[in-house]
Amino acid sequence: MTTSEPPGRGRNTEKPNWVERRREKIRAEVERNRRGEYTVPTWVLAVALVVIVGAWLALIFLA
């Protein structure tokens, strides 16, 4: 091989750019949600936990 391309890569098999990957992820998520496979994101669960624990602590220390 005299080319500088990595093995296994052809001319038309370039890696999709960030926008295309992002669109595909969003499209896949929308399809999952339509099938009823919706899940709550982890960050939402973490925020809910912090709010609940904070409210509980406020009740204990401010009562």
Side-chain angles (χ1 to χ4, degrees), residues 4-63:
S4 61
E5 290 183 302
R9 278 195 134 180
R11 291 181 186 171
N12 295 329
T13 59
E14 67 182 51
K15 190 175 180 182
N17 65 17
W18 179 83
V19 174
E20 292 171 354
R21 290 192 312 264
R22 180 73 180 147
R23 282 184 184 151
E24 184 54 39
K25 284 176 72 175
I26 292 171
R27 194 173 293 123
E29 182 178 355
V30 169
E31 289 174 5
R32 281 193 309 272
N33 293 345
R34 287 181 178 164
R35 288 191 305 262
E37 300 175 18
Y38 178 76
T39 57
V40 178
T42 305
W43 67 269
V44 173
L45 296 174
V47 168
L49 179 63
V50 168
V51 168
I52 291 170
V53 171
W56 181 71
L57 289 173
L59 276 172
I60 291 173
F61 289 115
L62 298 177

